[in-house]
Amino acid sequence: MEEVDVEPPLVVVPGADPACRQLCFEWGPAEVLVCETRFDRGGGGDAAPGSSRVFVVRRDQDIYIQTLRKLFNESHGIFVGLQRCEEELAGKSRRAQLVQVSKNYRSVIRACMEDMHRAAAATRDPALHSQYSTQVSILSAMELIWNLCEILFVEAAAAGPLLLRLLDWIRLHVCDVDSMVREVLSSENPSKHKLFWNVVDVFVLQGRMDEARHLLSKEATANPTSMSMYKILDDLMMKMPVPNLGNTQTLTELELKWQHWHEECQRYIRDGTFASNPHMESICKILGGDENAMLEKKELLTTWYHFLVTRLLYSHPTVKPMELHFYAQSSMDLFLGEENSPEPLDTILMAAFEFELHQVIKECSIALSNWWFVAHLTDLLDHCKLLQSHNLYFGSNMREFLLLEYASGLFSHHSLWQLGVDYFDHCREYGRVYLELHIERIPLNTEQKALKVLRICEQRHMHEQVRSICKIMAMKALRNNRLGSALSWSIRAKDAAFATLISDRFLKDYCERGCFSDLDLIDNLGPSMLLSDRLTFLGKYREFHRLYGEKRFSEAAKLLLMLMTAHIAPCSFWMTLLTDALPLLEQKEVIFSAEQTYELMQCLEDLTAGKPDKQKLLVDDVETMKVEMLRLALARNLARVIVKEGTLEGS
Amino acid sequence: MEEVSARFVAQKISKARWRPLPAAALQPPDIFATGSWDNEDNRLALWAVGELGSGEYLGEPQLLCDIGHDGDVMDMQFLDQERIVVASSTGSVTVFRHHQNNQTLSVNQRWEKAHCHVDQDTSCGGAACTGVICNNPEIVTVGEDGRINLFRADQKDAVRTIDNADSSTLHAVTFLRTTEILTVNSIGQLKIWDFRQQRNEPSQIFSLTGERVPLHCVDRHPNQQHIVATGGQDGMLSIWDIRQGTMPVSLLNAHEAEMWEVHFHPSNPDHLFTCSEDGSLWHWDTSTDISEKPSFLHQGGRSTAYLSHNTINQSVVCAWLNNDPTKDRMEITNLIPNQTLSVNSLDVLGPCLVYGTDAEAIYVNRQLFS
């Protein structure tokens, strides 16, 4: 067993007190059942054992949050779309497609964040408010990490565009300063605002040169004495070479231009051109790549990764992806200093900068309480062909493992199980087995839900599960005396044994009451009659009654005989059939031919002779009388028919 | 191009119904109700779409009010402008009232055990009420217990109950005439019941040819009362003429899974809509004026099946009955571009279509015939 990465969190189960009752527990698919046993401790013999309570301890609270359901549903749609989309596209177009998928996921996260934010603002319950706020911050952290992974892994931005993407990333996610920026920009005289220089610094730190220059121009018009200094600074900012996306310049060209510009900055610093204005001087130092100057603006940077990107912008704009981790580590150390230790988010981002995909996924799994994020991210990275398929020690690869865990979590939810089905479908190794096991355990409280589950099983050719679900529903129907429903379930499962059971039930009812119940069902069996022999017999027997009722006696007779001789009728029923033959034998008109009468006699003999030991049948008076009457009727019929048949041929 | 607005609602939608318009209304419908299922806490909700009175256009449907519902919403229908009758999986039938002044919903009346299994001692679980239909003030309900109830709004007890009307589950009910109803059951039978007769037997029974596939939904042609459409578990659409014969007039292979709802368009009955477990929603169009709708022929990106060979002068006789795929022209369009989970319910009124899915979303299309 490997070592535990983090200390397991302690969960207190309210109401469960190990001091007064001994507790036992059992693992479920996504939860732990804790229940009180009958052994009680303490309190001597006074404690009367009451009823035991069962506690269900769920690890994953998130799937029960209403606002997150939208996240699960929309991401399910994106996931299924990704699995289904064409693999033929290669190279750039495939990459563009995957980047689009990644952006879709991110916009779903953002939409969910906004909903959660609105819910937090709308609620008055402080506990709920704090829960929502926590969720908002978790979601924004997820989006931050996802965005970085998109830049580094999915899009795999090369040196040059990499910096631009990182700048966008920073601008999107460092928003603590936004309100300050808005305040200054909307004030009447921005340059007189006390936070004016802070805002200019923010713009410079984020590489927003145009906006910085715009603000500075306002300052310049207000303060003509520093006009010359302003002009130099403005010029410097304007000339700053940045990588562009248009591929119009090569990396070496950019490198060259940038070196040139950098030296110019350094020259101005050495000459002390901006010495009279400390604000401008610090800006120039920043432009020249001075880390200490940047670190002085810690509150404006707010995070070490902002510091990293600013540093890269002003000292190594042509940084290659593989070189990132050097700068990342040192940036984090410099920014956090000695006293602060990195938080989980920082470790994850660092792992991303180091291109340690597995580490990223592992850290995210530990930090987050729900498998949603890692499952979808890993699936996307797998589509980018970035995960080597090294097998984990229990057989499946990482992507599949995470998807299985996530989908199993969905199945423990009363409603989201339908989403889980599609996830299992796309796990090649164990998906089907997991689905088979989970789908049988979904509670089926209405027929409509059972139909949906059955459809899922049938589409995947899970015949065992179809049979078992249909049997459960048919048994329920049978207990409720809904014989038609029970029959329709056994037809769906093509379950002959159950159909036989239902037919026996009908026949039993008939024997007890002397008439059929549910005639609308038996009369309209149609081709499903052939499902089981007993069912066929039931249908034919009913037909016999109908023919008799319509006075079509010879057809009825033929049918009756056929039922016995073709062994469609169960042996237990032969007595009843023979008794049904009595009125036909006693008719004025002769119905049974000689041949048929002989066959009937044969049947009777078979019936009575077949049970030598079970004399109880014949001991019963009624039975004996019946047999006697039958023998008599058969003999009389035989006599009449021989005469009749003999006579016709004569004249 | 049609305009579909969607909204994710964090609950699986089992039924969606437009609020009926007052008789002389000219504007399209703007309020619909939805019911959810498979939640621990199911809800009946009312939504507004389109333009509010102030003229401000609402992009997505906006929630007006909702109320908790005990059990899954199995079926739902508006009794009048303010009252909605809802059938529950617990076997009860509830009438909710929508108070328009303060936008709330409240329970107006409830029949608790409208459907339950007879022998409570040996019964196993409750019986869901599967279908409800209203013709103000009468309400007819059917359920898994094979019972048919006739209620009157505001009367506490049932006016008439037919116990054990069917030995299998009754899936849906609709009015044929004011005193006659049609029911479909899970052994593929369509039955007509006449409430004027005292005996508890159907006045007529129709069944499918061949396999007794369960039927899930039924609807009657709005103008021609002898034409009935039903949808089955195998996705087949059957058209019946109940004046003649006991078998369907035409069988159209439609969906790949259970067809949950079938609706004739109330004012354009040449159009039929069906939705299914396979996630598709089909629009069946037998109107013959193809020249007026070039857009249908030029739409890209939708699957359009086109069954026709030559045009015929359609006489007054209904297109649905003459439906011979080799002779007549019928256009079938799938209105959902990328289908995932089941479309459980749809409703059409005027130019507006609303449908709800198991992917916890509702979609509204307000320009159906443009």
Side-chain angles (χ1 to χ4, degrees):
Chain A
M1 182 75 169
E2 297 179 8
E3 269 186 21
V4 190
D5 295 297
V6 290
E7 277 301 310
L10 189 65
V11 175
V12 176
V13 181
D17 186 3
C20 61
R21 289 277 275 265
Q22 185 163 347
L23 301 171
C24 68
F25 73 95
E26 186 62 47
W27 286 104
E31 60 265 317
V32 180
L33 293 179
V34 176
C35 64
E36 299 174 336
T37 62
R38 291 163 104 190
F39 305 107
D40 58 343
R41 320 165 158 202
D46 305 39
S51 55
S52 291
R53 291 177 299 172
V54 177
F55 302 92
V56 181
V57 182
R58 288 189 183 124
R59 182 180 176 247
D60 184 3
Q61 294 278 19
D62 293 346
I63 49 175
Y64 290 93
I65 299 179
Q66 213 43 10
T67 23
L68 281 183
R69 275 173 80 155
K70 180 171 154 157
L71 180 72
F72 297 131
N73 275 288
E74 287 200 76
S75 58
H76 165 259
I78 301 174
F79 175 84
V80 171
L82 174 61
Q83 312 304 310
R84 282 187 196 161
C85 72
E86 303 300 315
E87 288 268 358
E88 303 151 4
L89 305 169
K92 280 223 178 97
S93 39
R94 176 78 176 150
R95 175 164 301 173
Q97 196 179 46
L98 292 169
V99 171
Q100 187 54 48
V101 170
S102 179
K103 287 195 160 87
N104 288 344
Y105 274 122
R106 278 197 300 130
S107 73
V108 167
I109 300 178
R110 286 205 149 245
C112 198
M113 218 157 73
E114 278 165 23
D115 280 348
M116 197 75 85
H117 195 74
R118 251 180 269 139
T123 184
R124 299 219 185 93
D125 177 9
L128 216 52
H129 178 89
S130 78
Q131 185 192 52
Y132 286 146
S133 310
T134 326
Q135 278 299 328
V136 171
S137 54
I138 292 177
L139 283 170
S140 88
M142 282 205 263
E143 214 249 306
L144 178 76
I145 301 168
W146 193 300
N147 200 346
L148 185 62
C149 291
E150 179 184 314
I151 296 171
L152 296 176
F153 305 130
V154 183
E155 200 180 343
L162 175 62
L163 186 67
L164 291 177
R165 293 274 182 260
L166 287 175
L167 277 173
D168 285 334
W169 176 62
I170 288 296
R171 286 174 201 155
L172 198 54
H173 289 103
V174 176
C175 23
D176 292 349
V177 295
D178 282 353
S179 50
M180 178 174 71
V181 169
R182 264 196 305 270
E183 200 187 308
V184 171
L185 286 177
S186 52
S187 74
E188 278 180 16
N189 209 341
S191 53
K192 293 283 179 278
H193 200 288
K194 61 173 165 43
L195 296 174
F196 171 76
W197 283 108
N198 282 358
V199 175
V200 178
D201 287 334
V202 164
F203 286 148
V204 170
L205 290 168
Q206 291 186 3
R208 286 148 84 167
M209 289 300 153
D210 293 336
E211 292 165 80
R213 287 172 54 214
H214 181 75
L215 268 187
L216 277 177
S217 67
K218 289 200 169 32
E219 155 75 0
T221 44
N223 208 346
T225 50
S226 47
M227 184 60 85
S228 56
M229 277 200 296
Y230 158 72
K231 275 220 177 74
I232 301 175
L233 193 57
D234 185 74
D235 195 50
L236 207 54
M237 282 182 173
M238 191 176 64
K239 284 193 304 194
M240 175 171 154
V242 278
N244 66 352
L245 295 166
N247 274 347
T248 52
Q249 59 179 7
T250 64
L251 219 51
T252 9
E253 263 179 53
L254 174 65
E255 191 65 59
L256 229 51
K257 279 195 203 158
W258 186 82
Q259 269 306 115
H260 207 71
W261 179 84
H262 184 77
E263 275 161 22
E264 200 177 331
C265 288
Q266 297 288 352
R267 192 164 37 91
Y268 283 125
I269 296 172
R270 274 196 307 269
D271 291 347
T273 324
F274 300 102
S276 51
N277 191 328
H279 294 291
M280 287 203 191
E281 174 149 25
S282 85
I283 289 178
C284 191
K285 280 192 182 157
I286 292 173
L287 289 177
D290 186 342
E291 284 156 14
N292 293 324
M294 292 178 202
L295 282 172
E296 276 168 30
K297 313 282 175 188
K298 245 188 189 176
E299 329 78 53
L300 297 177
L301 288 172
T302 66
T303 57
W304 64 270
Y305 37 94
H306 190 337
F307 174 53
L308 165 68
V309 176
T310 311
R311 211 175 138 206
L312 289 172
L313 176 62
Y314 294 117
S315 43
H316 311 277
T318 54
V319 63
K320 296 195 188 42
M322 290 304 155
E323 296 167 355
L324 273 177
H325 71 101
F326 295 127
Y327 300 110
Q329 188 62 54
S330 55
S331 302
M332 187 160 89
D333 294 336
L334 282 171
F335 193 90
L336 292 179
E338 292 297 318
E339 28 352 294
N340 294 329
S341 53
E343 309 217 318
L345 179 60
D346 300 327
T347 348
I348 296 169
L349 292 173
M350 183 59 71
F353 283 122
E354 290 172 0
F355 280 77
E356 290 281 338
L357 270 178
H358 294 278
Q359 190 67 20
V360 171
I361 294 168
K362 179 174 161 195
E363 296 286 336
C364 288
S365 312
I366 295 174
L368 295 167
S369 57
N370 181 280
W371 294 106
W372 179 86
F373 180 75
V374 283
H376 288 89
L377 183 61
T378 313
D379 174 65
L380 181 61
L381 294 175
D382 188 71
H383 272 89
C384 301
K385 308 249 187 304
L386 289 171
L387 294 176
Q388 308 129 331
S389 57
H390 75 266
N391 283 340
L392 301 172
Y393 62 84
F394 44 81
S396 64
N397 63 26
M398 188 191 293
R399 168 188 170 269
E400 189 161 310
F401 170 73
L402 292 171
L403 284 175
L404 290 171
E405 287 295 313
Y406 173 63
S408 304
L410 285 177
F411 262 91
S412 69
H413 189 274
H414 53 258
S415 188
L416 293 173
W417 56 272
Q418 268 186 298
L419 302 179
V421 174
D422 280 310
Y423 287 101
F424 281 137
D425 278 344
H426 292 106
C427 292
R428 254 170 307 237
E429 285 230 25
Y430 291 114
R432 195 187 161 87
V433 176
Y434 268 67
L435 184 58
E436 282 174 8
L437 291 173
H438 276 284
I439 208 136
E440 275 190 315
R441 286 161 174 76
I442 298 174
L444 304 170
N445 28 7
T446 56
E447 289 200 358
Q448 193 157 8
K449 189 163 176 186
L451 287 172
K452 285 185 186 260
V453 174
L454 269 179
R455 182 58 62 185
I456 291 172
C457 294
E458 276 178 3
Q459 278 169 346
R460 289 153 183 79
H461 308 290
M462 294 181 176
H463 302 296
E464 269 311 308
Q465 280 68 29
V466 170
R467 258 198 295 275
S468 120
I469 292 171
C470 284
K471 246 200 193 82
I472 294 172
M473 298 305 293
M475 207 57 217
K476 261 197 218 167
L478 206 56
R479 282 220 202 105
N480 290 323
N481 225 11
R482 314 291 320 143
L483 294 174
S485 292
L487 188 63
S488 87
W489 288 110
S490 29
I491 291 173
R492 176 94 184 244
K494 302 202 193 354
D495 191 345
F498 215 89
T500 309
L501 192 72
I502 298 170
S503 324
D504 279 340
R505 181 77 170 258
F506 271 116
L507 292 169
K508 195 168 78 118
D509 280 350
Y510 170 77
C511 288
E512 280 169 15
R513 274 186 274 158
C515 64
F516 285 109
S517 59
D518 304 317
L519 278 177
D520 61 337
L521 172 64
I522 310 177
D523 277 342
N524 290 299
L525 282 175
S528 56
M529 209 194 302
L530 301 172
L531 184 59
S532 109
D533 281 346
R534 197 61 52 83
L535 200 55
T536 320
F537 167 65
L538 181 66
K540 292 285 177 203
Y541 189 49
R542 167 68 196 147
E543 203 183 316
F544 163 72
H545 279 268
R546 257 212 332 260
L547 289 170
Y548 187 90
E550 289 166 13
K551 302 214 185 312
R552 289 149 67 179
F553 294 127
S554 51
E555 286 164 50
K558 267 203 215 78
L559 183 56
L560 187 65
L561 202 53
M562 191 260 293
L563 284 177
M564 281 191 281
T565 52
H567 293 282
I568 300 177
C571 289
S572 51
F573 226 73
W574 278 21
M575 204 60 214
T576 321
L577 288 175
L578 286 169
T579 322
D580 284 331
L582 259 180
L584 289 173
L585 291 166
E586 298 295 338
Q587 292 277 338
K588 280 217 186 70
E589 192 192 326
V590 171
I591 298 167
F592 286 101
S593 72
E595 200 57 51
Q596 289 171 332
T597 319
Y598 282 128
E599 283 179 20
L600 274 176
M601 290 166 122
Q602 179 71 45
C603 291
L604 183 57
E605 289 315 309
D606 284 343
L607 191 59
T608 51
K611 304 180 169 90
D613 295 336
K614 296 189 186 148
Q615 300 290 348
K616 296 183 187 76
L617 253 182
L618 298 173
V619 168
D620 191 353
D621 275 340
V622 177
E623 289 301 313
T624 336
M625 197 166 65
K626 265 197 227 173
V627 173
E628 295 283 325
M629 283 178 65
L630 269 170
R631 288 224 174 91
L632 187 59
L634 282 168
R636 281 217 290 259
N637 191 59
L638 191 58
R640 284 192 297 161
V641 79
I642 290 177
V643 170
K644 177 181 166 205
E645 280 176 8
T647 314
L648 270 169
E649 263 156 346
S651 49
Chain B
M1 203 47 183
E2 47 200 64
E3 196 188 79
V4 182
S5 53
R7 179 164 171 149
F8 279 85
V9 297
Q11 48 191 340
K12 296 202 278 203
I13 300 296
S14 60
K15 286 291 161 190
R17 293 281 180 260
W18 286 109
R19 187 179 66 173
L21 293 167
L26 289 174
Q27 76 270 29
D30 57 350
I31 292 189
F32 63 92
T34 60
S36 74
W37 75 286
D38 212 19
N39 255 349
E40 279 170 356
D41 166 33
N42 286 302
R43 302 195 81 78
L44 168 73
L46 279 176
W47 306 80
V49 74
E51 281 143 29
L52 287 179
S54 56
E56 142 206 346
Y57 181 70
L58 303 167
E60 297 187 323
Q62 299 295 323
L63 179 67
L64 285 179
C65 49
D66 67 354
I67 190 169
H69 180 262
D70 189 23
D72 296 342
V73 170
M74 304 290 297
D75 201 359
M76 185 165 80
Q77 189 163 26
F78 274 88
L79 183 62
D80 53 25
Q81 281 284 305
E82 285 156 3
R83 289 179 294 179
I84 310 173
V85 186
V86 181
S88 163
S89 62
T90 57
S92 62
V93 179
T94 317
V95 181
F96 291 92
R97 182 181 284 275
H98 173 219
H99 305 277
Q100 305 203 26
N101 45 358
N102 57 354
Q103 293 298 354
T104 54
L105 281 165
S106 64
V107 176
N108 184 296
Q109 193 174 6
R110 174 175 282 156
W111 293 282
E112 275 293 342
K113 289 255 174 222
H115 292 277
C116 59
H117 291 295
V118 176
D119 193 351
Q120 288 295 313
D121 301 327
T122 59
S123 73
C124 187
C129 174
T130 51
V132 75
I133 192 86
C134 315
N135 190 0
N136 205 352
E138 293 184 330
I139 301 170
V140 180
T141 71
V142 293
E144 281 178 7
D145 54 355
R147 180 179 301 154
I148 303 178
N149 289 317
L150 173 62
F151 295 108
R152 253 184 127 75
D154 303 325
Q155 270 186 18
K156 198 162 83 73
D157 294 320
V159 170
R160 174 106 183 255
T161 302
I162 304 178
D163 272 328
N164 214 13
D166 201 309
S167 61
S168 63
T169 304
L170 288 165
H171 282 295
V173 64
T174 190
F175 271 104
L176 183 60
R177 281 175 253 276
T178 30
T179 52
E180 289 184 344
I181 56 168
L182 283 164
T183 62
V184 288
N185 66 10
S186 62
I187 41 176
Q189 293 173 328
L190 176 67
K191 294 185 184 175
I192 302 182
W193 302 82
D194 191 340
F195 283 125
R196 289 169 301 192
Q197 294 179 4
Q198 277 315 306
R199 61 192 186 118
N200 288 346
E201 299 280 322
S203 51
Q204 246 185 313
I205 301 182
F206 302 84
S207 46
L208 294 168
T209 52
E211 284 285 321
R212 298 288 190 256
V213 176
L215 294 173
H216 284 292
C217 50
V218 64
D219 196 21
R220 191 205 73 196
H221 194 286
N223 309 329
Q224 306 191 1
Q225 293 179 345
H226 52 273
I227 299 175
V228 172
T230 62
Q233 199 171 83
D234 52 357
M236 183 121 45
L237 172 68
S238 321
I239 310 283
W240 311 68
D241 181 347
I242 59 177
R243 291 173 309 192
Q244 36 180 281
T246 57
M247 293 186 317
V249 168
S250 55
L251 295 170
L252 302 161
N253 231 327
H255 297 280
E256 288 156 13
E258 285 87 348
M259 187 189 297
W260 293 124
E261 286 201 20
V262 62
H263 287 270
F264 280 100
H265 192 287
S267 41
N268 285 10
D270 283 337
H271 297 265
L272 183 81
F273 295 85
T274 60
C275 68
S276 159
E277 176 72 22
D278 66 1
S280 59
L281 196 160
W282 292 37
H283 170 188
W284 307 67
D285 179 3
T286 55
S287 53
T288 51
D289 259 331
I290 302 297
S291 55
E292 283 187 310
K293 299 192 199 104
S295 59
F296 269 111
L297 300 177
H298 295 298
Q299 281 299 350
R302 277 190 299 173
S303 57
T304 316
Y306 199 13
L307 314 171
S308 88
H309 287 83
N310 42 10
T311 52
I312 309 178
N313 258 339
Q314 283 291 343
S315 57
V316 186
V317 181
C318 175
W320 293 107
L321 287 184
N322 278 346
N323 226 340
D324 186 356
T326 58
K327 285 198 291 193
D328 298 335
R329 167 170 263 154
M330 173 158 67
E331 237 174 85
I332 308 172
T333 326
N334 183 1
L335 296 180
I336 300 183
N338 40 348
Q339 48 200 62
T340 46
L341 294 180
S342 161
V343 179
N344 289 328
S345 171
L346 73 97
D347 198 14
V348 274
L349 189 59
C352 303
L353 167 74
V354 62
Y355 58 97
T357 66
D358 268 347
E360 305 193 356
I362 40 181
Y363 298 83
V364 179
N365 180 345
R366 304 191 87 230
Q367 291 167 19
L368 205 46
F369 297 115
S370 60

